[in-house]
Amino acid sequence: MIKLHDKLFAPYLSEIQILDAVKKMADAIAKDYKDEVPIFVGVLNGSFMFVSDFLKAYQHPCEVSFVKLSSYQGLTSTGIVETLLDVSEDIEGRSVIILEDIIDTGRTLQQLVHLFSDSNVKEFKIASLFYKSEIYNGEYAIDYVGMDIPNKFIVGYGLDYNELGRNLREVYQLNQMDMINLVLFGKPGAGKGTQAGFLKEKYNLKHISTGDVFRFNMKNNTELGQLAKSFIDKGDLVPDEVTINMLKAEVEKNPDAAGFIFDGFPRTATQAEALDNFLESKGMQVNATIALEADDDVLVARLLERGKESGRSDDQDESKIRNRFDEYNQKTAPLKEFYSAQEKFYSVNGIGEISEITARLSEVINGL
Ligand code: AMP
């Protein structure tokens, strides 16, 4: 394990594995280009080590140049890409092969393609040592890939975490073992959202409220919002498949999170199993499920009060509220057994001052 700034990283790919992938790429490209003199364009800073080893493995006539774009700040892509350094060679009529260290969402790539779109190159190809096909949503096919990797934050072999780690010969991945992932459990109105707001600050966690994500989508009238609306308006649960895919996408958006608070998810056995499988595939787990307990009558009163302020239609009608409780009793309450069997279930009294309840929750979290 190594430490860069505030984070721990575990070994992921050895130097041999990396060099083997580089060699295979060089062979594949040589097969297509050895009879001409292509220009390899490295994308700085991350690709410098890859370009160096690639050229050592590519023993045919070629030229090399670099471009520099900037899109990363910290661990997540900001989506803003600027060109800091351009290719100076005359590339007209030449075959240009971009050498990228890593392609994830494809935003940087899009900028690169744009950069070369006006040039009259003979051929334009993309080669990337690492490729996160899981999250790539660009329209350009990647022509040569060294390794397809899962959506983990990686450093080393040219890649950095806030500029550190580029000089490592191996690739390391962000260690998720020290993450805290909490499920906040409880009926509508139990105070999950309110408490999550405090806990996320206190423990530096990312709060994902499936209800909030649905409401955001309904407000913006997205396809997902339109789909969810009919269920939410009646106080029914949105179908599992839709909800699970949405939750996964929210987690994927935050590869840098120190942990998550899942609020309003899982609500069915299928969702709970999907969450376990999904987290496991990312080297993560649910550490604790904490239930906020309160009487139905208290909750109904709270929700009706909240409905007056928020305007949420599902909070304004007692029959819809009761329907949500029925959904909870039938589909969500059994999850208590699911998490108890894993010795992860904790129960907290949800009645009292907000700060008192935060203190009760903190006691559970501090004891984990
Ligand atoms: P909430 O804000 O958590 O009370 O959620 C409001 C509504 O969104 C619920 O009544 C459901 O219709 C829907 N919803 C939120 N989370 C889920 C989930 N995990 N599974 C299914 N439906 C959900």
Side-chain angles (χ1 to χ4, degrees), residues 309-347:
E309 288 154 26
S310 71
R312 270 180 64 172
S313 67
D314 59 347
D315 279 352
Q316 293 180 10
D317 176 334
E318 184 158 344
S319 68
K320 286 182 188 172
I321 294 177
R322 296 275 174 198
N323 184 42
R324 282 153 72 201
F325 288 180
D326 287 345
E327 288 277 75
Y328 179 91
N329 290 331
Q330 274 177 36
K331 297 174 183 163
T332 312
L335 297 186
K336 184 174 173 176
E337 310 316 322
F338 179 89
Y339 287 110
S340 298
Q342 299 186 18
E343 291 176 29
K344 288 178 181 169
F345 192 82
Y346 301 83
S347 196

Side-chain angles (χ1 to χ4, degrees), residues 188 192 209-212 214-215 228 231-233 235-240 243 263-268 271 306 312 314 324:
K192 300 187 295 290
S209 156
T210 41
D212 284 350
F214 281 132
R215 281 185 288 278
F231 298 97
I232 293 181
D233 279 348
D236 290 343
L237 292 185
V238 177
D240 280 336
T243 312
D263 160 9
F265 188 96
R267 266 175 151 113
T268 65
Q271 291 179 15
R306 182 170 84 181
R312 270 180 64 172
D314 59 347
R324 282 153 72 201

Side-chain angles (χ1 to χ4, degrees), residues 15 19 22-23 26-27 40 48-60 62 99 157 169:
E15 190 176 10
L19 292 178
V22 172
K23 169 94 175 45
D27 290 347
F40 292 112
F48 71 94
M49 221 181 252
F50 167 44
V51 173
S52 167
D53 285 333
F54 175 88
L55 292 176
K56 283 184 251 171
Y58 188 91
Q59 290 298 310
H60 303 276
C62 63
L99 297 181
Y157 199 71
R169 289 163 173 264

Side-chain angles (χ1 to χ4, degrees), residues 231-290:
F231 298 97
I232 293 181
D233 279 348
K234 281 184 275 177
D236 290 343
L237 292 185
V238 177
D240 280 336
E241 201 193 326
V242 176
T243 312
I244 292 167
N245 286 336
M246 179 184 87
L247 188 278
K248 287 184 182 173
E250 291 299 309
V251 172
E252 298 284 11
K253 281 184 199 162
N254 297 279
D256 58 330
F260 291 90
I261 302 178
F262 299 108
D263 160 9
F265 188 96
R267 266 175 151 113
T268 65
T270 307
Q271 291 179 15
E273 273 158 30
L275 181 64
D276 271 5
N277 291 336
F278 173 62
L279 292 181
E280 197 189 316
S281 76
K282 306 185 102 33
M284 294 159 60
Q285 60 167 339
V286 170
N287 299 87
T289 293
I290 316 180

